[in-house]
Amino acid sequence: MTEHERAQAMITKWRRSQTGIRFSDLAKVCRLYFGEPRRKGSHLIYRTPWRGMPRVNIQNQDGEAKPYQVRQVLLAIYLKEANDE
């Protein structure tokens, strides 16, 4: 299974539930879709091809991703894939 296939499998799972997502998994998927992040304190901020919302800004909370940030990432991936087609 390629890295992109693993990412797609995780995204499919996350669409059903945004809780209990490991921060490291979310960061890997963000890096795959949006490149290397910049850091601002405890946040990882990823560059997107658009301005404004949804932002791709994630924060580690005891090893897990915050559910609202997972939803923002899922929306950003959806928009990026729609714009790439």
Side-chain angles (χ1 to χ4, degrees), residues 10-62:
M10 284 190 274
I11 290 166
T12 300
K13 182 179 172 186
W14 298 345
R15 285 190 174 122
R16 287 183 297 229
S17 175
Q18 294 84 45
T19 59
I21 309 297
R22 287 192 313 203
F23 176 80
S24 60
D25 288 340
L26 186 63
K28 285 178 194 174
V29 170
C30 287
R31 194 170 292 112
L32 180 66
Y33 277 89
F34 304 108
E36 289 298 316
R38 66 182 174 91
R39 286 189 170 270
K40 187 166 186 176
S42 62
H43 291 79
L44 297 180
I45 303 166
Y46 295 87
R47 184 174 299 278
T48 57
W50 57 80
R51 297 182 77 176
M53 297 304 252
R55 296 175 191 231
V56 179
N57 174 4
I58 62 175
Q59 183 180 22
N60 189 346
Q61 184 176 34
D62 299 324

Side-chain angles (χ1 to χ4, degrees), residues 1-12 28-29 32-33 77 81 84:
M1 187 179 275
T2 67
E3 187 175 351
H4 189 72
E5 290 170 335
R6 280 191 294 272
Q8 285 298 320
M10 284 190 274
I11 290 166
T12 300
K28 285 178 194 174
V29 170
L32 180 66
Y33 277 89
I77 289 170
E81 288 177 340
D84 288 347

